[in-house]
Amino acid sequence: MAPAIHSSADARRIAKRRLPWMVFDYIDGAAGAETGADRNRSAFDALTLRPRILRDVSQRDLSSTVFGRKTKAPFGISPMGMCNLSGPGADLMLARLAAREEVPLGVSTVSSTPLEDIIEEAQGHAWFQLYFSGDGTETFKLVERAKAAGYETLVLTVDVPEVGRRPRELRHGFTMPFRIGPWQFLDFALHPRWSITSLLAGKPDMANFRMDGFSFDRKASRAKADWDTLKQLREAWKGNLVVKGVLDPEDAGRLKSEGVDAIQVSSHGARQLESAPAPISVLPAIREAVGPDYPLFFDTGLRSGEDVVKAYMQGADFAFFGRVLQFAIAAGGEEGLEQLWSVLTSETSITLAQIGATEMPRAG
């Protein structure tokens, strides 16, 4: 039986106790001294919502529409690498949740379950997230695989020209694939619940590269990607193209003019550039740059339903939760994930009632 989860903070607290230090710090950590992560939280906390009274808010609708497809919830699931570190089968738990809630699930290039298996379990409610690497040869092979698997939306992550330095990872010697030395062995031994269930299920790895001709170095440079790369991708991919990791209004305007179908405002959970602005603080300027009708998605720093409503009021059309869902899995498996999703949905609905709204708000 999963422990009771009443907030994302509960999920994180329990996950911290259950996960090996190395795994927890990989999921939880941010770049540098992690002031960027603190800034993201402070920016959300500084935003207030205006309570309204005596409005009939007894019937509230949390649904949204993304690329013409209706969702049951106003938020989806961000692409996250190596989710099975949080618990065996985590990728497929997220896929089943996406199918049930009819929300998009971001499937990472470095997922620990093959991209074909995830979209099948998600009943089509999956987007493939793409990292450009090397000279792009293997990148475009993955594009063809995603197309063959039935993906209709591709998410190009552009905020990792070089992988940010995350000291918590480095101190633990975190690498993918795993290298288990004396320190890691001790860490796993002191967390037997995780070690027994996770390692006996098979050492997690980057499943999309288990085939001849494919390799991936998580820390390899991706610095060669440029606007010509985007043009090539746009020509190769006829489905929906989202660019994720945008924090500059000028960049956003150019992406729109280059034929990108949507932009995801994100700082990669503050895991890349410690000094980057809080995404929620630049969201209004990006909305102004792309106009009122252009699809604008948001992730980074979301911890509650109130945060989701704040993101919509700052200009987002849809939002995505990330690491808190992994913490819920680590805390209580699939039951824990469902508990936290219910909490986030309930928080969002209650927030709408408090501000006198019956549906998700729009900026302005």
Side-chain angles (χ1 to χ4, degrees):
M1 182 176 179
I5 295 173
H6 300 291
S7 68
S8 63
D10 281 351
R12 181 183 182 276
R13 173 179 49 79
I14 299 166
K16 186 175 184 179
R17 187 172 71 240
R18 293 190 170 186
L19 289 172
W21 306 313
M22 180 178 77
V23 174
F24 177 81
D25 283 346
Y26 163 68
I27 298 171
D28 190 60
E34 305 195 11
T35 60
D38 293 339
R39 187 181 309 112
N40 290 343
R41 188 62 253 162
S42 295
F44 264 109
D45 290 341
L47 292 172
T48 59
L49 297 171
R50 183 183 180 188
R52 301 304 301 272
I53 62 171
L54 297 176
R55 297 184 176 192
D56 185 351
V57 291
S58 58
Q59 301 297 318
R60 299 184 295 281
D61 181 6
L62 296 185
S63 66
S64 188
T65 302
V66 182
F67 293 138
R69 178 178 284 186
K70 193 168 184 178
T71 66
K72 291 182 180 179
F75 45 79
I77 304 164
S78 283
M80 295 175 283
M82 301 304 300
C83 285
N84 286 3
L85 288 172
S86 59
D91 282 323
L92 297 182
M93 294 178 196
L94 293 167
R96 287 189 287 273
L97 177 63
R100 189 186 74 215
E101 296 294 319
E102 299 177 357
V103 298
L105 162 66
V107 177
S108 174
T109 289
V110 290
S111 64
S112 39
T113 304
L115 62 93
E116 293 85 357
D117 295 352
I118 296 178
I119 193 171
E120 181 178 357
E121 192 78 4
Q123 299 176 24
H125 296 278
W127 298 356
F128 185 66
Q129 176 270 330
L130 184 71
Y131 283 122
F132 181 89
S133 63
D135 63 1
T137 301
E138 293 180 355
T139 301
F140 281 91
K141 288 180 182 178
L142 280 173
V143 171
E144 292 304 312
R145 270 185 70 183
K147 189 184 302 181
Y151 285 84
E152 298 176 356
T153 299
L154 193 68
V155 181
L156 176 66
T157 297
V158 294
D159 59 358
V160 194
E162 302 288 352
V163 174
R165 287 183 61 83
R166 302 166 199 157
R168 277 203 265 169
E169 281 185 30
L170 297 172
R171 291 185 195 110
H172 291 301
F174 182 90
T175 60
M176 289 307 303
F178 268 157
R179 295 193 189 96
I180 301 178
W183 170 253
Q184 290 79 18
F185 183 83
L186 174 63
D187 190 5
F188 295 163
L190 292 172
H191 297 88
R193 181 199 297 260
W194 181 91
S195 300
I196 292 170
T197 58
S198 295
L199 295 184
L200 289 181
K203 189 167 64 174
D205 64 1
M206 295 175 288
N208 292 323
F209 301 94
R210 293 182 200 147
M211 57 186 298
D212 293 339
F214 280 72
S215 62
F216 186 82
D217 180 353
R218 176 173 163 263
K219 294 189 176 181
S221 174
R222 300 161 192 164
K224 288 185 178 181
D226 59 14
W227 290 98
D228 285 338
T229 306
L230 177 67
K231 184 177 180 179
Q232 293 172 41
L233 186 61
R234 178 70 284 183
E235 290 173 353
W237 183 262
K238 303 307 179 186
N240 303 313
L241 179 60
V242 180
V243 172
K244 178 181 185 293
V246 181
L247 292 173
D248 183 86
E250 184 178 339
D251 287 343
R254 182 168 179 184
L255 288 168
K256 179 183 177 182
S257 69
E258 294 284 345
V260 170
D261 297 299
I263 288 169
Q264 193 151 327
V265 177
S266 169
S267 69
H268 215 103
R271 291 164 72 82
Q272 290 306 117
L273 178 64
E274 183 182 7
S275 301
I280 195 68
S281 69
V282 299
L283 184 55
I286 293 177
R287 168 54 72 196
E288 184 176 359
V290 298
D293 300 320
Y294 185 79
L296 200 57
F297 308 144
F298 181 87
D299 73 60
T300 295
L302 294 166
R303 297 292 179 266
S304 69
E306 286 196 19
D307 289 347
V308 172
V309 173
K310 288 177 180 181
Y312 272 70
M313 294 191 79
Q314 295 300 302
D317 293 307
F318 200 72
F320 290 85
F321 280 99
R323 69 186 79 183
V324 297
L325 302 178
Q326 286 201 65
F327 289 146
I329 292 170
E334 195 154 9
E335 184 182 345
L337 176 62
E338 291 173 357
Q339 279 189 45
L340 182 58
W341 191 269
S342 178
V343 166
L344 298 171
T345 302
S346 178
E347 288 174 343
T348 305
S349 181
I350 291 169
T351 302
L352 291 184
Q354 298 284 0
I355 66 173
T358 57
E359 60 186 22
M360 296 305 295
R362 291 291 302 271

